[in-house]
Amino acid sequence: MGTGWVWHELYGWHDTGKAAGFMTGPGLQPFGHFESPESKTRFASLVEVSGMLDHLVRVPARPATEADLLRVHAEEHLASMREQSADPRGGDMGDGLSPFGHGGYDIARWAAGGTMAAVRAVLGGQVENAYALVRPPGHHAVPERGMGFCMFANIGVAIRYAQAELGLRRVAVVDWDVHHGNGTEAVFAADPDVLTVSLHQDGNFPPDSGTIGDRGQGDGYGSALNVPLPAGSGRGAYLHAMDRVVLPAVRAFHPELVMVASGFDSANGDPLGRMMLTSGVYAEMTRRLMDLAGELCGGRLVISHEGGYSPVYVPFCGLAVLETLTGHKTGVDDPYEPIWSRWPGQELADHQRAVVDAVAELLAEVPRPTLSDR
Ligand SMILES: [Zn+2]
């Protein structure tokens, strides 16, 4: 079995307009929106030019249906997106910072459908693991509205689809995007069958979200874990968080599928984050999650693309993840890795360790499977 690959040309056609970063207004000369096509289309281009494409199994995407979206989202949100999408001037996903062009609703349905297709291919045994390079991203979208450049909760929609139609129940979602995976967490906050673990930059986005005390609700209490790492965290902090929190939490939870919300905005040089990761660290995190999925659930691992706003560096991070998933080295090396991996600050610092170790204290409350689940 190989590694599945989801990409569709339409994902590059989602139009975020001419914002200066993510702002428009007086004094702001129109430029480009940070959530531009380039970081993703250049990733897809590098996959082809490096020869990686020949080592992947193409998984065709299909648009999510309205019934698929309604398993997660409110009818009012769909109606609003449909209506604004029909306007030639486009609209906004819900927070005034997340524009989309004419027809953007349909592209977002293809994005959610791309993640669904990756899950379907892995659960159906066509591939062992998969990477869905979809756009717009999904991990900030909450059931009632879009936000943070996300219209629909791609991972949430895919999990609810697989639970409804493919017999899946227990899923663990690991989010390494630099921002809190608040949307994924909100979808499953009260659901003890879905564990969400978010590693993110403390206080970045959304504001006041993803604190250590943010643990899920009701029956789902304990099924949300947040590791708000201090700005400036690098390889040492992230691998400590993987080893002390992510791996033991997922192992205790014992899922049938592991998913990753893969944002490369936790990489060095990203305009929206202040972390220091290099492509090699994403490869190391991928290796750990592959081994864990192999131990727990037949290797079933689905990675769905989220943020990452450096058009130059995102492609190298993505290629490193794919080289790890496939075991195939393309020979195209990340030219920044030897420089950035040696920067002071990559090693674990005491104030970073303190945050991770505080979250590790909470692992006893991660829901365990009952005997009938095993
Ligand atoms: Zn992000």
Side-chain angles (χ1 to χ4, degrees):
M1 284 201 293
T3 295
W5 171 244
V6 176
W7 165 251
H8 195 290
E9 175 69 18
L10 264 183
Y11 299 147
W13 294 16
H14 162 46
D15 181 8
T16 46
K18 297 289 284 178
F22 55 91
M23 296 292 182
T24 56
L28 283 164
Q29 182 178 2
F31 187 57
H33 197 286
F34 282 134
E35 208 293 286
S36 72
E38 278 73 21
S39 60
K40 287 81 171 175
T41 57
R42 289 167 58 98
F43 176 8
S45 297
L46 186 59
V47 166
E48 182 163 355
V49 171
S50 67
M52 173 54 74
L53 193 57
D54 299 333
H55 298 265
L56 298 169
V57 178
R58 182 172 175 268
V59 174
R62 293 279 176 274
T65 65
E66 300 215 335
D68 293 325
L69 299 173
L70 286 169
R71 291 194 191 97
V72 168
H73 291 288
E75 169 58 40
E76 293 74 19
H77 176 42
L78 265 63
S80 169
M81 295 300 100
R82 232 181 1 242
E83 186 182 327
Q84 294 184 64
S85 177
D87 187 327
R89 296 166 299 177
D92 186 89
M93 296 173 182
D95 62 355
L97 304 173
S98 308
F100 62 90
H102 192 197
Y105 169 71
D106 294 307
I107 300 176
R109 290 201 297 121
W110 276 89
T115 305
M116 290 169 60
V119 168
R120 184 166 57 234
V122 167
L123 294 181
Q126 285 88 38
V127 292
E128 182 172 15
N129 50 47
Y131 197 105
L133 176 56
V134 297
R135 178 171 177 268
H139 75 148
H140 292 308
V142 295
E144 303 75 27
R145 68 184 178 109
M147 62 184 284
F149 321 151
C150 303
M151 188 183 291
F152 299 125
N154 300 330
I155 287 178
V157 169
I159 290 174
R160 288 297 187 223
Y161 155 72
Q163 289 175 325
E165 299 195 11
L166 304 178
L168 179 71
R169 193 176 139 204
R170 297 173 66 80
V171 187
V173 183
V174 178
D175 189 322
W176 65 43
D177 188 284
V178 80
H179 306 107
H180 175 219
N182 66 296
T184 318
E185 184 181 295
V187 172
F188 301 109
D191 185 347
D193 285 337
V194 180
L195 174 72
T196 60
V197 188
S198 180
L199 311 179
H200 49 266
Q201 182 188 327
D202 185 26
N204 184 322
F205 183 86
D208 306 318
S209 179
T211 63
I212 292 178
D214 180 1
R215 314 270 306 275
Q217 297 160 5
D219 289 346
Y221 188 79
S223 70
L225 281 173
N226 284 290
V227 188
L229 292 167
S233 293
R235 178 176 182 273
Y238 273 84
L239 294 186
H240 187 61
M242 290 295 290
D243 293 340
R244 280 279 282 156
V245 172
V246 175
L247 302 185
V250 175
R251 192 173 280 121
F253 181 76
H254 210 103
E256 299 155 25
L257 170 71
V258 177
M259 293 190 74
V260 177
S262 174
F264 296 126
D265 41 13
S266 37
N268 200 39
D270 191 275
L272 289 178
R274 277 297 171 268
M275 299 309 216
M276 295 177 61
L277 298 189
T278 59
S279 61
V281 186
Y282 293 107
E284 288 183 84
M285 294 196 292
T286 302
R287 181 75 256 164
R288 279 164 161 78
L289 292 173
M290 286 174 73
D291 291 345
L292 184 68
E295 172 192 327
L296 298 176
C297 51
R300 290 196 290 259
L301 176 65
V302 174
I303 306 184
S304 187
H305 197 83
E306 300 286 357
Y309 305 100
S310 167
V312 171
Y313 201 51
V314 163
F316 290 107
C317 298
L319 188 65
V321 169
L322 291 175
E323 287 189 343
T324 309
L325 289 176
T326 58
H328 170 72
K329 294 290 282 181
T330 60
V332 175
D333 293 327
D334 168 7
Y336 293 93
E337 170 81 31
I339 304 167
W340 287 348
S341 64
R342 291 195 181 91
W343 275 15
Q346 286 289 3
E347 62 283 356
L348 177 65
D350 287 344
H351 68 297
Q352 299 162 350
R353 182 196 302 275
V355 172
V356 173
D357 290 357
V359 181
E361 296 289 313
L362 311 176
L363 292 175
E365 288 176 282
V366 169
R368 266 62 176 174
T370 60
L371 270 181
S372 60
D373 294 327
R374 302 295 282 264

